[in-house]
Amino acid sequence: MRALVIGSGGREHALLLGLDRDPSVTELHAAPGNAGTATVATNHAVDANSGDAVVALAREIGADLVVIGPEVPLVHGVADALREAGIAVFGPSAAAAQIEGSKAFAKDVMASAGVATARAESVTAAADVDAALDRFGPTWVVKDDGLAAGKGVVVTPDRDAARDHAVAVIEGGNPVLLESFLDGPEVSLFCLVDGETVVPLLPAQDHKRVGDGDEGPNTGGMGAYTPLPWLPDGMVDRIVTDVVEPVAAEMVARGVGFSGLLYAGLAIGPDGPSVVEFNCRFGDPETQAVLDLLETPLGEVLGAVANGTLAELEPLRWFDGSAVVVVLAAHSYPGTPRTGDVITGADSEGVLHAGTKNNDAGDVVSSGGRVVSVVGRGADLAQARAQAYRRLDAITLDGAHFRSDIGKAAEDGRIRL
């Protein structure tokens, strides 16, 4: 099988490494890729958001399977262009990708499906923000109702901060969504979906805020771990039954059946799971941890979804133990990151590249905010954390920062339902 992975982040590097472990995969390509993907695949300088460009590349290399990593190409219809060209693709149509591209659409689908989620209100005019804020709080959840790479959400007890973000989103050209605050620990559950067939992967927990102890602004994700020792037995099955299957069925009923990876972000409260958000693709950095524990060949898994045979797939097999991923971020991230700094040690085992490229001298340098992610695996969470941070110590990048507490609260037993 020749496989082409679309994207340039740590998620795509993890997908390529997973595919490389599959003996049925004989050739790997990435578009556009990064300095790390170049060590396992052939990189191609192609506009990942252009359906015509991706189709042309897939035909040129004879791709048997195209895997679309990021949300933007999906919302732009790249999967549709590939399907129209008769090329097998893992990723939903543009219409189905609205489950992430439009939070208002997602809320409407959940309401019709009877799925628990936060109360929400869309605001399109800055003049209406104050009155809308009066109907929420004392903790405000303010979301950019568009694609914001995981950084369009502000959760705050500070009304002025909530108002400032809401007005900034509207003045930036997007509606803003105000939501009631959902209490309880959060869970990321990735599910393979083919119409109404749903197969869950291992549950994970992301760490969105930039600083230890969940301090500071939201980022695209500073680290994650899987599985979740505090999650009750049967909760994954409950999430599938009460949340993902009803949403998948509702989308089929609307004529926008989902094919790909449906990511449910949930808060687990006293009454069970409530949806915080849906994404239409693998999440980053959770993917790096989850795929590290997947024993079933990844090409077989993704191909089953792309070819409409997910219902026939054998139950997934997983390695025992835990996996932890820690993100090393560039100076000033999540603000405007400094780029061009030389990275050393990034060719070590367990290091997945995201914001990297090779300069004219052949050095690996930073080219984005989240530069690399480092995965550790162990018999339990403590061992996995120790290995991840040990590997991180071998990397140098001037001005870089990372969280030192990824998975620590779960290791210490401080997360309880």
Side-chain angles (χ1 to χ4, degrees):
M1 178 196 298
R2 295 186 188 92
L4 167 62
V5 174
I6 304 301
S8 61
R11 162 186 51 220
E12 287 74 39
H13 196 178
L15 286 164
L16 286 162
L17 289 174
L19 289 166
D20 191 49
R21 294 192 293 268
D22 185 335
S24 72
V25 177
T26 56
E27 199 173 300
L28 285 172
H29 297 264
N34 58 46
T37 65
T39 65
V40 69
T42 301
N43 285 352
H44 300 268
V46 167
D47 180 0
N49 298 325
S50 167
D52 290 344
V54 173
V55 167
L57 174 60
R59 284 174 168 160
E60 177 188 334
I61 64 177
D64 301 300
L65 174 67
V66 180
V67 180
I68 301 177
E71 63 274 20
V72 176
L74 294 168
V75 171
H76 285 185
V78 173
D80 302 83
L82 288 160
R83 288 193 178 94
E84 289 168 8
I87 299 168
V89 56
F90 181 89
S93 66
Q98 287 304 299
I99 197 76
E100 178 173 359
S102 169
K103 294 175 180 64
F105 172 82
K107 288 291 185 183
D108 189 57
V109 167
M110 284 185 276
S112 297
V115 169
T117 186
R119 178 175 63 88
E121 181 177 335
S122 181
V123 184
T124 58
D128 297 331
V129 166
D130 284 312
L133 287 171
D134 289 342
R135 295 187 282 274
F136 291 85
T139 297
W140 285 271
V141 180
V142 186
K143 295 185 175 182
D144 185 335
D145 192 9
L147 297 177
K151 293 182 284 185
V153 181
V154 165
V155 180
T156 179
D158 184 334
R159 181 191 170 98
D160 290 339
R163 185 184 190 282
D164 289 346
H165 184 61
V167 171
V169 168
I170 292 169
E171 290 180 346
N174 282 342
V176 70
L177 201 71
L178 299 182
E179 289 188 351
S180 56
F181 177 68
L182 294 175
D183 203 6
E186 291 196 8
V187 173
S188 299
L189 184 66
F190 298 167
C191 291
L192 304 166
V193 177
D194 174 15
E196 295 191 41
T197 302
V198 176
V199 176
L201 306 188
L202 292 179
Q205 187 176 62
D206 187 13
H207 294 61
K208 279 290 187 189
R209 294 193 182 270
V210 70
D212 284 5
D214 292 327
E215 296 292 331
N218 272 353
T219 70
M222 294 298 293
Y225 66 97
T226 187
L228 309 181
W230 49 267
L231 196 67
D233 291 342
M235 183 57 74
V236 168
D237 290 339
R238 181 176 175 184
I239 292 168
V240 170
T241 300
D242 293 355
V243 175
V244 185
E245 287 181 342
V247 164
E250 174 63 21
M251 294 185 75
V252 168
R254 293 180 178 219
V256 290
F258 195 95
S259 173
L261 194 290
L262 188 58
Y263 166 150
L266 311 119
I268 311 298
D271 298 324
S274 294
V275 175
V276 175
E277 64 176 354
F278 278 109
N279 290 332
C280 64
R281 39 69 192 181
F282 280 102
D284 188 334
E286 299 101 316
T287 298
Q288 291 90 303
V290 171
L291 292 188
D292 195 68
L293 293 180
L294 179 65
E295 185 178 4
T296 302
L298 183 59
E300 176 184 338
V301 172
L302 304 183
V305 178
N307 295 313
T309 59
L310 180 61
E312 302 166 22
L313 186 68
E314 294 291 325
L316 298 179
R317 302 187 306 277
W318 300 94
F319 293 110
D320 292 334
S322 297
V324 171
V325 57
V326 183
V327 170
L328 183 70
H331 184 274
S332 297
Y333 180 80
T336 302
R338 191 175 75 201
T339 59
D341 290 316
V342 174
I343 310 159
T344 63
D347 56 351
S348 304
E349 185 178 2
V351 180
L352 304 176
H353 290 231
T356 68
K357 66 178 183 180
N358 292 110
N359 64 13
D360 292 340
D363 298 316
V364 177
V365 299
S366 59
S367 63
R370 293 187 295 173
V371 182
V372 297
S373 54
V374 182
V375 179
R377 190 200 297 184
D380 56 23
L381 195 51
Q383 289 186 16
R385 290 188 73 251
Q387 186 181 75
Y389 283 104
R390 188 164 56 247
R391 288 173 168 176
L392 188 62
D393 284 342
I395 301 172
T396 61
L397 174 64
D398 187 42
H401 61 96
F402 60 89
R403 282 186 59 162
S404 66
D405 64 346
I406 303 300
K408 182 62 174 170
E411 178 191 339
D412 294 343
R414 287 184 280 123
I415 302 179
R416 293 186 175 88
L417 295 180

